[in-house]
């Protein structure tokens, strides 16, 4: 403590006051509010962060060769062992290791007493926790501070402070004192460390003043009292010095007045001095005026910058553009997804309609057969009706029978048998013809379907042939001019751009097409790069919007509106962007930025802005691309990837490319032309095959239609023959019965036939109606199928521009986001500039204040100056030179002036000193009066709280007692009445047993713990004189307090058993081994 008194007196009490918690009486304990937290609820984060003892190691200390290292827990630690095992040695080493004196330990008078006999040095290593926001020099020491003390046999010591990594930080005692002050560790405070000797002294002490001194020392009130006494003594000494100074000031004033009188006689010299002084004053205020003008100009500049809202407006506009582009992008994505969903849905509908069309067509053919059968049956019935009518007519006109009628009947029967045989053969033929017609209908349907498929494939091949032929013509044209790869009008367009630039229409010449300006490091990746860049291959770059307008006008000469190359507007830069931190990185696969080279950095910057090529990877194999992008987390900063075939891979989707060959970045022109010619020949051959095949299929269909018609005609003729034979048979059958049949019966049969004909007509009508319905249904389904196929074929064409637009919008969105960051940085730079100007203004204003203060010192009244500093400085130089000449001729004058100045300065100095000391003493009186009042309030508050906590702890043992503080006489009276002896007159602690007195001591210590602050508490053999009942109660109180104060560390030293302690993670028990001399002679005492 004495080492820390060198600080300013006003700071001493402030340092001490933060060590003691002076809370009002209303903070007294209440058992109802002290809820014990469970050990499971206290995690590592619930422990203290600074000042806790993490470990201690002893070597050659006292009578122990090596103890430790002991790893202390953050809450409760019990050190248990027999006498001589080193329990108290650990506590003693802790005090010495933290820089305490030997007398603090009560175990020796010099440090050499702690070195083991026969050794030269003893080593102590203490590790203190240093975590959290209040850590001491966290960046220097780390999470813990190692304090190594080496004690020598001559009584000296060496201290080394190390960081967590073992690096030596300091070996100065002042640094250790600063650490202890920061951690609030008080080695000589019994509340922090109560040694065995101190505890015994308190237990056996009978003096009430000793107890009061113990209380004052524990709460550091004694230290505060000593500090106040020291301040009072200093104030008395200072007052005596002031009185002596006032006596000497009178003599000094007389001497000053004498020299002043001599000085005033020097009139002419004084006038020149006055003029010089006035010039110096004018010079000072002239400098002030210039400074004020500079500060005013700086204020105007700051106001101008603060009123400049251009950066905020640009940032708002950019944010609006980002929002608009994101909305457009979301809309395009939703349209692409809807088209994709529609494509999947239409594919399913296509299969369903195809099956439905087969079923309806088959039903139509079957209904057609039903209709023809009903029609033939009607015709047959009508013929039979005609024959019957003829027979009736013949019967009416016939009047007699033929004589040889018997012979005719026999002939008719034979003829009928022959006709029936013919009829059976014809009906069999009809059945075969019907089956043949049905088979030919199915074959005809299959043939027409195959013909439609061939026509569709033929159209696709024709489109592909035309595309490749156009590409071949472009490549043939690009033999003489490479630019024609990008379109037939590109060379003329570039010539027009060059001509416009030469005439000064462009501020900076546009660059493009982009595909012309880039090349590949690996030609194998041409398809992948073209699939990534797509429409950007033909795009042009402009530096500003004025150049873009001119370029649009030039493009309109060569391209129709809506089919022009894209124009990207971005300021040209001579350096490639710094994309460190934004680039996609993978150890195996490059980005698009890595595989391309460009002759101009503008091209690279443009592709970074619009397409984000730094965040797109090239992964050759499809499987690896899926694994890298879709299984697990994609590489850092990677948005998408492309395979060597041009497939596009996202983390949640995969698009197959329709590119088969690079259009613009192909390396070997002749090889590509040769491949195109080969492809054209193959396509021409395929087209010829398809045409021949289609012609043969058409001829087969025509042949099948002719055969079907021929078969139908044969069937009709056969049916006519069947009907004729049936009519003949009927006629012959009825001819033999003409003799017995009468006209009335024939007419009845005719009537039945007419009814039958009507029914068959109705059946024919119904079959015809059903046939029309099925024909219409088949036509509707076929129409739906055709429109569905057209829509399916149309969808890829609709999706392609949407995909291009999506990529453009994504690139535009990325560009706007980068612009947004750029504008935010610009705005921040603008604000930083304003802040810097304000800081400069503050500094200039401080300088101005300094100039004003200096000028005020020189001249309290402001001088109205008209001249410049240069002219005033010239006049000052002239007068100074003139004065120097005057002084060279009047040397005595200088001596007079010097003596007068010295006397004046000395008189003013002494006067100011006396005045300042008087003010200091008066202020110190007020401060000390206020401090004394605060000290009494704190002392009263701490004593009241100590009483309440003491009574609260006694109640837990069913005891009652009191604690009376007499601050005037500086005594502390403690009275305790054990249970069952409340009515006895004896209440003094001297009448208690040793265990009861130890328990009372524990209660008193716990009360002091409640009102003081320290990162750890140490008790040495607190339970030696207790019986088991009092010891158990004391342990419960200690553990309960440790749980409430879980941010502090507790170290309890006891020789008794700890088997009855609760099993919890808060408690850590260190069992010390018996020393060798204890095992040989159990009667030895502790060291």
């Amino acid at each position: 403590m004495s080492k820390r008194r060198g600080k300013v007196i006003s700071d001493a009490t402030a340092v001490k006051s933060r060590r003691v918690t002076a809370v009002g009486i209303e903070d007294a304990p209440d058992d109802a509010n002290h809820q014990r937290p469970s050990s499971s609820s206290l995690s590592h984060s619930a422990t203290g962060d600074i000042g806790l003892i993490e470990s201690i190691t002893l070597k050659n200390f006292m009578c122990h060769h090596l103890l430790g290292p002991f790893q202390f827990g953050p809450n409760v630690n019990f050190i248990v062992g027999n006498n001589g095992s080193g329990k108290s040695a650990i506590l003693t080493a802790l005090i010495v290791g933290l820089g305490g004196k030997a007398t603090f330990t009560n175990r020796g008078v010099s440090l050499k007493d702690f070195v083991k006999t026969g050794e030269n040095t003893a080593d102590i290593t203490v590790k203190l926790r240093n975590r959290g926001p209040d850590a001491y020099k966290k960046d220097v020491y780390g999470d813990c501070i190692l304090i190594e003390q080496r004690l020598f046999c001559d009584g000296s010591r060496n201290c080394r402070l190390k960081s967590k990594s073992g690096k030596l930080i300091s070996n100065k005692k002042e640094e250790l004192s600063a650490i202890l002050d920061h951690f609030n560790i008080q080695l000589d405070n019994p509340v922090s460390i109560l040694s065995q000797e101190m505890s015994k002294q308190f237990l056996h002490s009978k003096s009430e003043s000793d107890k009061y001194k113990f209380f004052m020392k524990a709460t550091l009130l004694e230290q505060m009292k000593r500090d106040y006494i020291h301040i009072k003594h200093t104030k008395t000494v200072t007052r005596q010095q002031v009185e002596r100074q006032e006596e000497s000031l009178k003599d000094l004033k007389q001497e000053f007045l004498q020299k002043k009188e001599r000085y005033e006689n020097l009139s002419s010299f004084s006038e020149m001095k006055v003029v010089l002084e006035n010039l110096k004053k004018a010079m000072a205020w002239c400098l002030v005026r210039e400074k004020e003008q500079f500060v005013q100009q700086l204020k105007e500049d700051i106001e101008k910058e603060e009123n400049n809202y251009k950066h905020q407006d640009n940032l708002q506009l950019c944010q609006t553009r980002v929002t608009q582009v994101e909305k457009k992008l979301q809309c395009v994505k939703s349209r692409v997804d809807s088209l994709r969903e529609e494509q999947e849905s239409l594919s399913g509908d296509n299969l369903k309609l195809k099956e439905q069309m087969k079923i309806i067509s088959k039903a139509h053919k079957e209904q057609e057969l039903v209709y023809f059968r009903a029609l033939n049956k009607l015709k047959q019935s009508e013929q039979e009706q005609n024959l019957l009518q003829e027979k009736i007519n013949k019967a009416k006109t016939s009047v007699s029978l033929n004589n040889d009628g018997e012979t005719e009947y026999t002939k008719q029967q034979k003829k009928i048998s022959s006709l029936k045989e013919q009829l059976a053969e014809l009906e069999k033929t009809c059945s075969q013809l019907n089956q043949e017609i049905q088979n030919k209908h199915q074959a005809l349907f299959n043939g027409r379907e195959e013909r439609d498929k061939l026509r569709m494939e033929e159209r696709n091949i024709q489109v592909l042939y035309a595309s490749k032929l156009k590409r071949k013509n472009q490549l043939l044209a690009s033999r003489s001019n490479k630019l024609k790869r990008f379109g037939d009008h590109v060379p003329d367009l570039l010539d027009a751009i060059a001509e416009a630039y030469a005439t000064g229409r462009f501020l900076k010449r546009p660059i493009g097409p982009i595909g012309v300006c880039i090349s590949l490091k690996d030609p194998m990746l041409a398809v992948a790069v073209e699939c990534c860049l797509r429409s950007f291959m033909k795009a042009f770059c402009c530096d500003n919007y004025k150049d873009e307008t001119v370029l649009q006008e030039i493009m309109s000469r060569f391209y129709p509106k809506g089919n022009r190359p894209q124009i990207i507007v971005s300021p040209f830069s001579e350096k490639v962007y710094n994309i460190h931190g934004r680039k996609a990185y993978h150890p195996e696969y490059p980005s698009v930025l890595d595989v391309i080279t460009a002759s101009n950095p503008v091209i690279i910057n443009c592709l970074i802005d619009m397409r984000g090529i730094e965040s797109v990877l090239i992964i050759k194999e499809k499987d690896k691309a899926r694994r890298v992008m879709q299984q697990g987390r994609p590489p850092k900063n990677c948005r998408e990837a492309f395979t060597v075939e041009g497939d596009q891979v996202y983390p949640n989707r995969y698009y197959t490319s329709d590119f088969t060959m690079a259009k613009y970045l192909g390396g070997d022109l002749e090889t590509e032309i040769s491949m195109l010619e080969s492809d054209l020949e193959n396509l021409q051959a395929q087209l010829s095959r398809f045409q021949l095949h289609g012609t043969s299929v058409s001829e087969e269909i025509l042949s099948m239609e002719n055969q079907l018609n021929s078969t139908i005609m044969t069937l009709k003729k056969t049916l006519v023959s069947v009907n004729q034979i049936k009519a003949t048979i009927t006629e012959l059958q009825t001819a033999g019965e003409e003799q017995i049949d009468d006209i009335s019966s024939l007419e009845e049969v005719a009537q039945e036939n007419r009814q039958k004909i009507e029914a068959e007509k109705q059946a024919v009508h119904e079959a015809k109606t059903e046939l029309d319905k099925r024909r219409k249904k088949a036509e509707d389904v076929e129409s739906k199928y055709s429109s569905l196929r057209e829509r399916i074929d149309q969808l890829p064409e609709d999706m392609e521009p949407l995909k291009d637009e999506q990529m453009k919008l994504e690139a535009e969105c990325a560009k706007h986001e980068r612009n947004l960051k750029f504008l935010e940085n610009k705005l921040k730079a603008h604000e930083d500039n304003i802040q810097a100007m304000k800081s400069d203004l503050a500094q200039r204003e401080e300088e101005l204040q300094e100039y004003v203060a200096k000028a005020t010192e020189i001249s309290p009244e402001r001088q109205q100056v008209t001249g410049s500093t240069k002219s005033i400085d010239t006049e000052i130089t002239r007068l100074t030179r003139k004065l120097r000449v005057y002084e060279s001729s009047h040397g005595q004058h200088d001596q007079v002036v010097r003596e007068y100045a010295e006397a004046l300065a000395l008189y003013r100095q002494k006067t100011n000193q006396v005045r300042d000391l008087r003010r200091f003493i008066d202020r110190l009186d007020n401060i000390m009066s206020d401090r004394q009042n605060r000290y009494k309030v704190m002392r009263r508050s701490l004593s009241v709280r100590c009483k309440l906590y003491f009574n609260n702890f006694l109640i837990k043992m069913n005891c009652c007692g009191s604690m009376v503080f007499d601050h005037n006489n500086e005594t502390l009276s403690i009275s305790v009445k054990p249970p069952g002896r409340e009515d006895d007159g004896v209440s003094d602690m001297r009448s208690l047993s040793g265990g009861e007195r130890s328990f009372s001591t524990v209660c008193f210590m716990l009360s002091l713990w409640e009102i003081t602050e320290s990162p750890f508490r140490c008790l040495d053999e607190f339970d030696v004189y207790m019986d088991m009942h009092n010891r158990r109660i004391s342990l419960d109180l200690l553990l309960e307090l440790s749980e409430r104060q879980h941010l502090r560390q507790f170290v309890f030293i006891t020789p008794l058993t700890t088997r009855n302690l609760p099993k919890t993670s808060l408690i850590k028990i260190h069992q010390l081994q018996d020393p060798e001399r204890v095992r040989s002679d159990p009667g030895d005492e502790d060291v």
Side-chain angles (χ1 to χ4, degrees), residues 516-533:
V516 176
C517 304
I518 64 174
S519 59
L520 299 177
K521 297 177 181 178
D522 185 358
M524 295 289 292
L525 303 177
V527 175
V529 173
E530 285 191 16
C531 286
C532 175
L533 302 183

Side-chain angles (χ1 to χ4, degrees), residues 284-300:
W285 286 109
C286 186
L287 292 173
V288 169
R289 184 189 64 185
E290 292 182 355
K291 276 289 179 183
E292 286 176 344
Q293 292 174 354
F294 183 79
V295 167
Q296 184 61 32
Q297 181 63 36
L298 194 57
K299 286 182 179 178
E300 291 175 359

Side-chain angles (χ1 to χ4, degrees), residues 28 39 108 132 172 188 355 556 581 692 846 902 929 949 984 1023 1042 1075:
S39 60
K172 296 182 179 179
D188 59 341
E355 293 297 326
S556 64
L692 290 174
E846 288 179 2
E902 291 174 354
S929 177
Y949 282 113
D984 294 350
D1023 54 353
S1042 67

Side-chain angles (χ1 to χ4, degrees), residues 2-27:
S2 60
K3 293 293 184 181
R4 303 172 199 165
R5 278 192 185 169
K7 300 180 181 179
V8 180
I9 294 175
S10 60
D11 293 336
T13 54
V15 172
K16 304 302 178 184
S17 63
R18 73 176 176 83
R19 296 184 185 171
V20 181
T21 305
V23 186
I25 300 175
E26 63 272 17
D27 293 333

Side-chain angles (χ1 to χ4, degrees), residues 745-757:
S745 62
L746 290 173
E747 288 179 348
E748 290 176 359
V749 173
Q751 183 64 30
E752 291 177 357
N753 282 342
R754 279 195 292 274
Q755 293 176 355
K756 183 179 178 183
I757 288 171

Side-chain angles (χ1 to χ4, degrees), residues 417-428 722 725:
S417 299
S418 174
L419 288 172
K420 285 183 176 180
E421 291 177 359
Q422 293 179 11
L423 180 62
E425 291 179 0
L426 288 173
E427 286 179 345
K428 184 178 180 182
V722 169
I725 291 173

Side-chain angles (χ1 to χ4, degrees), residues 796-1033:
E797 299 177 4
D798 295 342
M799 288 175 67
E800 187 63 28
L802 286 177
K803 285 183 179 179
D804 291 340
E805 185 178 359
Q806 179 181 350
M807 293 182 65
K808 289 179 183 178
L809 288 173
E810 286 177 349
E812 187 177 356
C813 185
K815 177 186 175 183
H816 285 315
E817 286 177 352
R818 281 188 285 272
N819 288 340
L820 184 63
K821 285 186 179 179
F822 174 74
L823 290 174
E824 287 175 349
N825 293 334
K826 254 185 132 178
L827 177 61
K828 187 175 183 304
H830 176 68
E831 293 173 349
D832 292 344
N833 182 36
I834 293 175
Q835 194 61 36
M837 293 176 70
K838 288 182 178 179
S839 301
D840 188 26
L841 175 62
Q843 184 179 353
R844 297 294 182 180
E845 287 179 341
E846 288 179 2
E847 292 178 0
L848 176 60
Q849 293 300 325
E850 291 177 1
Y851 273 76
V852 170
K854 290 179 181 178
T856 306
E857 287 179 4
I858 297 172
S859 173
E861 294 184 3
R862 178 155 187 156
Q863 302 289 324
Q864 297 298 328
V865 183
T866 57
S868 63
T869 55
K870 185 176 181 181
S871 61
I872 295 174
D873 184 64
T874 303
E875 186 64 20
I876 289 173
T877 304
R878 187 185 66 80
L879 275 177
T880 304
R881 194 178 295 114
K882 189 174 180 181
L883 284 172
R884 194 177 296 116
V885 172
Y886 181 85
E887 289 172 354
S888 63
S889 60
H890 300 79
Q892 191 176 1
H893 179 274
D894 183 49
Q895 182 179 357
V896 171
V897 172
R898 185 175 64 255
E899 290 176 353
Y900 170 75
E902 291 174 354
L904 177 62
L906 183 60
Y907 177 74
R908 286 180 177 175
Q909 180 184 359
K910 293 295 182 181
T911 304
N912 291 335
Q913 284 181 356
V914 171
R915 184 182 67 249
D916 292 339
L917 285 173
R918 279 292 181 189
R919 290 177 180 175
F920 172 75
I921 291 171
D922 294 338
R923 187 179 177 188
L924 188 60
D925 285 336
N926 296 330
I927 292 173
M928 285 303 299
S929 177
D930 180 67
R931 289 282 180 168
Q932 289 287 350
N933 294 332
R934 291 174 181 266
Y935 169 81
K936 292 176 182 179
V937 171
M938 178 184 289
R939 184 178 62 185
R940 184 172 63 254
S941 173
L942 291 175
S943 60
V944 169
R945 293 180 64 210
C946 187
K947 287 180 190 179
L948 294 176
Y949 282 113
F950 181 78
N951 292 333
N952 184 50
F953 290 125
L954 286 179
I955 289 171
K956 296 184 181 297
M957 200 181 74
N958 297 324
C959 296
C960 60
S962 65
M963 183 182 288
V964 180
F965 287 86
D966 186 352
H967 297 299
N968 293 327
N969 297 322
E970 295 186 347
T971 61
L972 170 59
S973 175
I974 299 175
S975 60
V976 178
K977 293 181 180 181
R981 294 163 59 184
E982 291 83 2
D983 298 331
D984 294 350
V986 179
S987 62
D988 193 353
M989 288 181 62
R990 290 173 290 182
S991 64
L992 302 178
S993 65
E996 292 171 341
R997 195 181 306 166
S998 296
F999 175 79
S1000 302
T1001 303
V1002 170
C1003 293
F1004 183 50
M1005 284 302 301
L1006 292 179
S1007 303
L1008 293 176
W1009 283 1
E1010 290 282 6
I1011 64 174
T1012 57
E1013 293 285 342
S1014 179
F1016 59 83
R1017 323 276 200 186
C1018 298
L1019 276 182
D1020 187 7
E1021 296 193 358
F1022 64 93
D1023 54 353
V1024 174
Y1025 302 105
M1026 293 185 188
D1027 55 17
M1028 293 309 295
H1029 175 71
N1030 288 328
R1031 183 173 185 266
R1032 185 174 63 253
I1033 295 175

